[in-house]
Amino acid sequence: MGGHESTQCSAEGKDSEGKSQEEAVTPCARHGCKYQKTWHATHCCNSCRSMGTHGPRCEKKINPQIGLERQERKAAAEKRSEAAYAFLEAFQFEGGSAAGRKINVVCLHGIAMNCESMKDMSKPLWSQCTDFANFYFPSAPHPIDRNTSFCRASHANSGPEARTWTIGGSICRDDFKDDLYSFLQREVPGPVDVLLGYCQGGFAIHQLLQSSMLPEKLHAVRAVVIMMSAGGFKRTPPTKLRSLHVIGLEDKVVAPSTSEGSAAKYLDPVIAKFGVGHEGPFKPECL
């Protein structure tokens, strides 16, 4: 009996100690560091505080909150993708329809991105749609470097594969059309059903659809998905063209009011607002 009580007290002591240790965990003060503060007063180590690296004295104890935050970000990203998923699903062809095929979705990336980064960012969406949609990811034709006004203003670290749809990052040019048309002719079997654009890709879609010389591949476009972007038609959009507008309420690059103004230029737009910034509507690591 006494032994049982002693064991119980010992277990309670461990629980209490474990709880106090858990509550004592303090994240490293450097933003983005995944470790917790141990012997250093504010950071995981001196090197992290001064240079953002980790020295030999760093104990590299993972901050347990990091895992929870990643799970929360992933869940939030999946929830956002559900809005676009439901929108795209509404456009799938019935099995017995004359089309008899999956819908073709062409995705235009943002400035200083490329086809691969856009594909990676939007994976939570397209990975859910493989049963009824095929996604295509062209790269913009023009290189962009860190001296471009956009990169300087946003402190973007453009790599060798970074691209822009228009020279100089302008949102009022269509000097990308010939390259995009060639991609569509070469890579997309059949007509394009949906155009999806993130950031500058959304502006590019608006410039594209205002052209009076659209290639046959784009005659069947039935919907657009505009993510963290703006712009709009100078003329009334086609009555049968549906639109989904994903807006970040904390977007510092494209103001939410600007995105809403763009959506208002469409007929019966579907608007999805989320408490996120411009970094990427689907990629969990960027939220």
Side-chain angles (χ1 to χ4, degrees):
M1 184 73 172
H4 176 72
E5 290 178 354
S6 176
T7 303
Q8 185 177 14
C9 290
S10 176
E12 288 176 353
K14 290 181 180 179
D15 290 342
S16 176
E17 181 182 357
K19 183 177 181 181
S20 63
Q21 289 177 349
E22 182 177 351
E23 290 176 346
V25 170
T26 303
C28 174
R30 183 175 68 83
H31 178 71
C33 180
K34 63 181 179 179
Y35 301 127
Q36 57 180 281
K37 175 176 74 69
T38 54
W39 56 268
H40 192 279
T42 56
H43 293 69
C44 61
C45 64
N46 278 319
S47 294
C48 188
R49 180 185 64 81
S50 59
M51 297 180 292
T53 59
H54 301 281
R57 291 188 62 199
C58 184
E59 296 182 18
K60 297 182 179 179
K61 287 189 175 181
I62 296 291
N63 175 11
Q65 290 299 317
I66 293 294
L68 295 175
E69 291 172 359
R70 285 177 177 171
Q71 290 298 320
E72 291 173 355
R73 290 198 299 269
K74 181 179 180 181
E78 290 174 348
K79 182 178 180 181
R80 280 191 295 283
S81 72
E82 289 174 1
Y85 173 86
F87 182 84
L88 294 175
E89 188 178 36
F91 290 91
Q92 66 177 305
F93 295 105
E94 296 180 2
S97 68
R101 62 175 176 82
K102 295 181 180 181
I103 61 173
N104 290 326
V105 183
V106 174
C107 305
L108 306 188
H109 61 74
I111 190 170
M113 295 175 65
N114 59 35
C115 61
E116 291 300 326
S117 57
M118 182 65 180
K119 185 176 182 180
D120 180 52
M121 183 189 75
S122 60
K123 185 177 180 179
L125 170 62
W126 59 257
S127 62
Q128 297 184 61
C129 303
T130 55
D131 56 335
F132 64 85
N134 291 320
F135 285 71
Y136 302 90
F137 300 86
S139 277
H142 309 295
I144 187 172
D145 61 38
R146 66 184 62 186
N147 294 319
T148 304
S149 58
F150 171 83
C151 292
R152 291 199 304 270
S154 61
H155 305 289
N157 295 318
S158 60
E161 300 302 321
R163 293 289 185 269
T164 175
W165 290 103
T166 60
I167 295 176
S170 170
I171 59 175
C172 299
R173 295 180 177 179
D174 57 7
D175 50 333
F176 60 90
K177 291 194 301 183
D178 290 343
D179 291 89
L180 181 59
Y181 294 168
S182 295
F183 173 88
L184 298 179
Q185 189 64 36
R186 183 176 67 252
E187 302 292 339
V188 182
V192 175
D193 301 290
V194 179
L195 288 169
L196 184 152
Y198 165 67
C199 186
Q200 191 196 41
F203 287 97
I205 287 175
H206 293 134
Q207 290 298 118
L208 185 67
L209 294 183
Q210 291 181 107
S211 173
S212 59
M213 300 292 290
L214 282 177
E216 187 176 354
K217 288 268 187 181
L218 294 173
H219 288 178
V221 171
R222 296 184 291 152
V224 295
V225 179
I226 308 297
M227 305 187 301
M228 278 61 173
S229 188
F233 288 92
K234 294 181 180 179
R235 64 175 191 273
T236 303
T239 56
K240 294 183 179 180
L241 184 67
R242 298 295 310 283
S243 66
L244 168 65
H245 305 261
V246 179
I247 299 175
L249 297 177
E250 299 176 11
D251 195 335
K252 305 301 183 184
V253 178
V254 181
S257 58
T258 304
S259 294
E260 289 192 64
S262 172
K265 297 178 181 179
Y266 286 82
L267 301 176
D268 300 321
V270 178
I271 300 176
K273 300 179 183 180
F274 303 99
V276 296
H278 186 77
E279 300 82 3
F282 300 123
K283 188 176 179 182
E285 293 85 350
C286 291
L287 300 179

